[in-house]
């Protein structure tokens, strides 16, 4: 199962949640791609999930640009679902997921 993880701010509770939850999924049955803006936090999360992440996609930091990057990734990636983390990531993921009929799950970490 291919899952696209989207995080605008991969720090604090979001990073902890992703690190603890996705380590429990068997890597032979699940393929995770993380889409997030470039930054120091991204490298730490990438290191935390080195065995789970198939790839990391660098996106624009927010708003319309992030939504366009999500749409582009969903068009070519054949994902079974999108799991966005945080309100900004959820808003940016909603329309692309809906347009391409990809189930979308949002987790708020506030």
């Amino acid at each position: 199962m291919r899952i696209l993880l989207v995080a605008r701010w991969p720090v604090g509770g979001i990073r902890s949640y992703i690190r603890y939850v996705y380590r429990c999924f068997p890597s032979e049955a699940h393929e995770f791609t993380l889409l997030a803006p470039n930054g120091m936090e991204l490298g730490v999360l990438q290191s935390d999930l080195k065995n789970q992440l198939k790839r990391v996609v660098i996106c624009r930091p927010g708003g319309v640009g992030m939504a366009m990057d999500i749409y582009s990734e969903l068009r070519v990636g054949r994902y079974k679902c999108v799991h966005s983390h945080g309100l900004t990531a959820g808003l940016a993921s909603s329309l692309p997921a809906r347009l391409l009929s990809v189930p979308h799950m949002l987790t708020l970490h506030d």
Side-chain angles (χ1 to χ4, degrees):
M1 176 184 282
R2 296 188 77 195
I3 301 171
L4 179 63
L5 309 176
V6 179
R8 169 59 185 100
W9 305 102
V11 297
I14 291 173
R15 183 175 151 225
S16 296
Y17 180 91
I18 290 173
R19 183 177 55 214
Y20 294 132
V21 170
Y22 287 110
R23 280 185 180 171
C24 297
F25 286 78
S27 58
E28 59 276 353
H30 298 85
E31 185 177 301
F32 298 106
T33 297
L34 174 64
L35 185 142
N38 200 9
M40 200 169 78
E41 305 87 8
L42 184 60
V44 174
L45 184 57
Q46 200 171 353
S47 176
D48 289 343
L49 294 174
K50 62 183 172 213
N51 296 325
Q52 284 76 26
L53 287 178
K54 173 80 172 180
R55 41 189 294 260
V56 174
V57 176
I58 305 297
C59 70
R60 289 172 268 189
V64 175
M66 187 175 192
M68 290 169 60
D69 293 338
I70 294 165
Y71 181 81
S72 295
E73 183 62 26
L74 288 176
R75 277 190 53 216
V76 299
R78 292 186 157 162
Y79 293 96
K80 292 292 183 187
C81 71
V82 178
H83 188 184
S84 54
H85 296 271
L87 185 58
T88 304
L91 291 172
S93 299
S94 293
L95 185 59
R98 177 75 173 188
L99 289 172
L100 297 170
S101 300
V102 178
H104 176 222
M105 179 172 63
L106 166 62
T107 301
L108 296 175
H109 298 270
D110 295 323

